[in-house]
Amino acid sequence: MAEPDRTYAITGGCRCGGIRYTVTTAPLFVMACHCTDCQQQTSSAFSLGMPVEKDGFSLTGEPVAHPKTADSGNESRAYRCPTCAVWTHTMTDGSPDLVIVRPSTLDDARWVRPVAQIFVRSALPWATLAVPHSYDEEFDDPSGIVETFRASGIFERVA
């Protein structure tokens, strides 16, 4: 089981190396987001997100923030490299103590596997995932998702 209080050193960054980051706390979970905004930003069926505590996220480089106001009224900011335009992470007003790392930008993402998916209402019909937690929109309480991720053994492959 992933130890939330342990220190980690998970690294990643953009394609050109202009943005680098380190995560030093255990990720809460990995999820897929099927919202139309993520579909547009990735030019794909969904994005992957890995929430981590803001205090456990450090960054080098100067990403550009691309803000958007959600239907909820909360603003989210997608951070991209100004040179290669890779989307490395997101921050939202609704979860100010978290950073949503884009796990496809990890140096080693082989261990990544989502345990949840959100905004399934806008998923492409062929792109829904067989995961333990699935929501038509956003979830209110992530505690079940966090527990599923910790108990799954997924994270031990990197920890």
Side-chain angles (χ1 to χ4, degrees), residues 41-96:
Q41 288 204 63
T42 61
S43 298
S44 188
F46 54 83
S47 71
L48 292 177
M50 182 179 77
V52 301
E53 294 174 12
K54 187 176 180 180
D55 292 343
F57 179 81
S58 61
L59 181 72
T60 59
E62 295 292 328
V64 175
H66 297 272
K68 178 165 182 172
T69 302
D71 292 341
S72 66
N74 287 325
E75 183 179 274
S76 70
R77 290 161 302 287
Y79 290 90
R80 293 181 175 273
C81 173
T83 303
C84 67
V86 166
W87 180 22
T88 56
H89 63 288
T90 299
M91 296 183 73
T92 69
D93 291 346
S95 300

Side-chain angles (χ1 to χ4, degrees), residues 114-130:
V115 296
Q117 61 186 343
I118 60 175
F119 290 101
V120 175
R121 70 175 188 206
S122 51
L124 298 176
W126 52 267
T128 55
L129 305 173

